[in-house]
Amino acid sequence: MSLIREHITSDTQCGCSAGIGHSKLSARLATKEAKPHGHVYFSHTDMAHHIKTLPVRDLPGVGGSMAHKLSSEGVSTCGDLQSWSETKLSCLFGPKTA
């Protein structure tokens, strides 16, 4: 992975970061963790541990308004959010978002 990043940097004069994971979400979160100019791989085990401490605001699609609503309900990390049922999320955000 570092060889590919080196080629990109030498060819474009721009640094890059790369994240690898078992799903699109884990790869996106790994890329965020890799910044700046690094690379990170999240295995299933790594992801399970990392997601519990991850602030909900760091999830793709969670904006300021949703983060504020969750915070007012006492949810600040994904670990907090994992204890919620889909029904409870539906009541707060509607069935599509839940």
Side-chain angles (χ1 to χ4, degrees):
M1 181 57 66
S2 58
L3 184 62
I4 294 169
R5 288 186 314 98
E6 287 173 22
H7 281 299
I8 291 169
T9 301
S10 68
D11 289 353
T12 66
Q13 309 309 311
C14 294
C16 68
S17 303
I20 304 165
H22 65 278
S23 68
K24 186 175 181 178
L25 175 61
S26 62
R28 287 179 78 175
L29 294 175
T31 301
K32 192 170 191 174
E33 189 78 19
K35 293 185 183 289
H37 313 296
H39 61 273
V40 171
Y41 167 70
F42 278 159
S43 67
H44 280 290
T45 307
D46 295 335
M47 188 63 184
H49 174 72
H50 181 72
I51 199 83
K52 288 183 184 197
T53 59
L54 186 75
V56 290
R57 181 64 175 97
D58 288 354
L59 288 173
V62 175
S65 175
M66 185 181 291
H68 181 71
K69 279 184 185 178
L70 287 168
S71 178
S72 69
E73 294 290 327
V75 175
S76 60
T77 66
C78 292
D80 298 335
L81 189 59
Q82 286 175 331
S83 66
W84 279 38
S85 68
E86 189 174 340
T87 303
K88 190 172 181 179
L89 285 169
S90 289
C91 289
L92 191 59
F93 297 108
K96 271 186 149 179
T97 303

